[in-house]
Amino acid sequence: MKDNLKVYVNKNLTGDLSKEGDSYIFNYKEDAKDIVSLTMPLRRESWVRKKLHPIFEMNLPEGILKERIKKHFAKIQDMDDINLLKLIGPYMLGRIKFEKIVSVEEILVLEDILHSTTTDLFDELMQRFSIRSGVSGVQPKLLLSAQNRTTMRFEHYIIKSWQSDYPQLALNEYFCMRAIQNANLPTPKFYLSDDLSMFIIKRFDIKKDGSYLGFEDMCVLTARGTEEKYSASYEEISKVIKDVVCVAKRRDSLKQFFTALIMNHLLQNGDGHLKNYGILYSNDFEDANLAPIYDVITTTMYIKKDIPALKLGDAKLWWKEKTYKTFAKQSCGLTNKEYEEILKTCQNAIKITKKEIDVYMSEHEETSEFLEGLKGCWKDVIG
């Protein structure tokens, strides 16, 4: 049985996706002008895979959100990938949508989310918005539009919560992202709710005219499915950057990536996997660059002996300085001077952020035990 699914790029009908037997098939329309992925250029020949194409899988929900959707609709139809795309595809995150284009306006005020006193606000939002939250990841997340009272515009945010298994995860991510900013790395705008239950990120792939930039994570760009997000190396990511990012932005993107890798070490973030790095572009390779840094937490707060998500030099461990220096030179093309400057910048970012944490603890004593533990996990230097 063939079940076609219409595929739109920025509201333009671009092609159709179907499943025939055990194969997924995508065909561009004859008059298509937009690519669905940097890895799938325009052509008349079908794009055929045994598994769902990575660009279409990229934003399928995972974890709790996916299970909640599947359970809710299981009595109506089999919730395979095609039917899941048919259900949430119209609301999907980013420039690609499926089946139809819908316009749903919900007035949510950012300040009300940040300063809410409602118990279990995230659960309430989950009930209201789970179907139209085409945002990937295992950590519970929702994609919402919120009205910012200061600017009086509708702006799009990703709201993330945490479970009891990972106490104070929002606070953890907030200060890790502050450290990333202090290392002069580009980040989305982000916020922490007053009750510390939610971490809110402003979307970075929306243009001023409301259309979307292309965004593809490293799973897509290395032709891997979501379940393979830990099966790669940082060398592969650097190669993708050199192959995909436009010449004018390539060197800065490599420096940005290497700086993020050093910050992961100092912050002890063992979850820097393929889906946590990506490429942004308007049309094609000619303007592609590395996306802002996102999804950074100190994983050793919860998994004491955690290790990095990907290999570097054929191993997953907290590497010595010699390994980073070799990677900086051979894979990122950095000079010794640039390497030393990045190392100094990252170490200084940790110092600055620790001082910010001390100020925060003086005003929020109830967070002191957790934040002292967070600072204790961070490294001041590369071992």
Side-chain angles (χ1 to χ4, degrees):
M1 180 178 177
K2 184 176 179 180
D3 191 7
N4 281 5
L5 201 60
K6 295 176 182 176
V7 179
Y8 293 83
V9 175
N10 274 327
K11 299 185 179 181
N12 298 318
L13 182 58
T14 301
D16 64 85
L17 174 68
S18 61
K19 187 177 182 184
E20 297 186 47
D22 59 354
S23 294
Y24 291 89
I25 302 167
F26 174 74
N27 289 292
Y28 280 107
K29 287 183 60 187
E30 286 188 10
D31 60 349
K33 297 179 181 179
D34 301 302
I35 59 171
V36 295
S37 170
L38 294 171
T39 65
M40 296 169 66
L42 294 171
R43 70 182 192 186
R44 291 186 178 180
E45 184 183 352
S46 299
W47 290 93
V48 183
R49 279 177 58 94
K50 291 297 183 183
K51 294 184 178 181
L52 185 64
H53 306 76
I55 188 62
F56 302 139
E57 184 189 22
M58 181 174 74
N59 289 313
L60 281 177
E62 302 171 60
I64 291 175
L65 183 55
K66 184 175 184 178
E67 291 308 311
R68 185 169 292 188
I69 293 171
K70 290 179 72 172
K71 183 178 180 181
H72 186 77
F73 289 92
K75 291 183 179 179
I76 302 172
Q77 60 185 356
D78 176 35
M79 291 308 296
D80 59 10
D81 285 345
I82 288 287
N83 283 327
L84 191 58
L85 284 174
K86 186 178 292 186
L87 180 67
I88 70 169
Y91 313 101
M92 210 144 205
L93 177 72
R95 67 196 281 270
I96 297 179
K97 290 181 172 57
F98 298 86
E99 195 56 17
K100 58 186 177 180
I101 297 295
V102 297
S103 178
V104 180
E105 292 293 341
E106 288 282 350
I107 298 180
L108 286 170
V109 181
L110 177 61
E111 285 83 354
D112 289 347
I113 297 171
L114 291 172
H115 309 308
S116 174
T117 57
T118 302
T119 304
D120 298 326
L121 175 62
F122 187 84
D123 286 340
E124 180 184 319
L125 295 175
M126 192 87 153
Q127 292 293 333
R128 289 172 59 191
F129 296 99
S130 61
I131 297 305
R132 62 184 95 136
S133 283
V135 55
S136 66
V138 175
Q139 182 182 350
K141 301 175 187 175
L142 292 171
L143 172 64
L144 305 179
S145 294
Q147 184 182 26
N148 187 314
R149 282 181 176 149
T150 304
T151 62
M152 296 306 292
R153 292 195 305 269
F154 282 98
E155 297 173 328
H156 302 277
Y157 298 84
I158 295 172
I159 299 180
K160 303 165 69 174
S161 185
W162 45 274
Q163 298 171 282
S164 58
D165 292 345
Y166 303 101
Q168 298 289 10
L169 188 59
L171 194 61
N172 184 333
E173 186 163 0
Y174 178 81
F175 278 112
C176 284
M177 291 300 292
R178 281 295 304 144
I180 293 295
Q181 284 187 329
N182 288 330
N184 301 322
L185 285 167
T187 70
K189 288 185 178 180
F190 56 86
Y191 312 86
L192 181 68
S193 65
D194 287 350
D195 65 359
L196 311 184
S197 69
M198 290 177 286
F199 181 75
I200 298 117
I201 312 163
K202 186 175 180 180
R203 294 274 302 279
F204 55 74
D205 61 341
I206 302 177
K207 300 180 185 179
K208 291 181 180 180
D209 64 2
S211 64
Y212 293 88
L213 292 166
F215 172 78
E216 299 183 25
D217 64 34
M218 292 295 168
C219 271
V220 175
L221 294 169
T222 59
R224 286 178 167 89
T226 297
E227 76 280 1
E228 300 174 279
K229 63 186 177 183
Y230 295 105
S231 303
S233 69
Y234 293 112
E235 285 92 345
E236 287 181 76
I237 294 180
S238 67
K239 187 177 186 303
V240 169
I241 293 171
K242 286 184 280 191
D243 289 344
V244 174
V245 170
C246 67
V247 174
K249 300 177 180 179
R250 189 172 300 159
R251 187 167 184 80
D252 284 343
S253 290
L254 285 165
K255 289 177 70 174
Q256 178 183 327
F257 173 59
F258 182 72
T259 304
L261 186 58
I262 294 297
M263 288 302 295
N264 277 348
H265 183 116
L266 298 178
L267 293 169
Q268 295 288 278
N269 173 30
D271 207 36
H273 53 67
L274 290 177
K275 293 189 70 65
N276 284 341
Y277 298 98
I279 297 292
L280 277 177
Y281 61 94
S282 292
N283 301 305
D284 208 327
F285 291 90
E286 69 265 14
D287 63 354
N289 64 285
L290 193 65
I293 303 303
Y294 56 93
D295 280 2
V296 179
I297 63 167
T298 298
T299 59
T300 55
M301 279 295 292
Y302 315 109
I303 307 169
K304 296 302 181 184
K305 295 183 179 180
D306 200 15
I307 58 175
L310 304 176
K311 291 181 180 179
L312 181 63
D314 295 323
K316 289 186 180 183
L317 46 82
W318 300 112
W319 302 278
K320 301 294 183 181
E321 185 174 351
K322 181 180 178 181
T323 302
Y324 286 114
K325 198 166 188 176
T326 299
F327 176 73
K329 182 178 180 179
Q330 294 183 355
S331 295
C332 299
L334 305 182
T335 65
N336 287 338
K337 182 180 179 181
E338 287 173 322
Y339 170 80
E340 294 295 341
E341 287 174 348
I342 288 172
L343 215 58
K344 185 176 180 181
T345 296
C346 292
Q347 291 167 350
N348 192 47
I350 295 296
K351 292 178 182 178
I352 292 171
T353 312
K354 283 184 175 181
K355 290 180 181 179
E356 291 180 1
I357 289 176
D358 289 339
V359 172
Y360 186 89
M361 286 192 299
S362 69
E363 300 170 354
H364 303 83
E365 292 183 6
E366 72 280 6
T367 66
S368 294
E369 182 178 355
F370 177 83
L371 290 176
E372 286 292 356
L374 187 69
K375 288 194 302 177
C377 287
W378 292 1
K379 305 298 180 183
D380 297 315
V381 296
I382 301 295

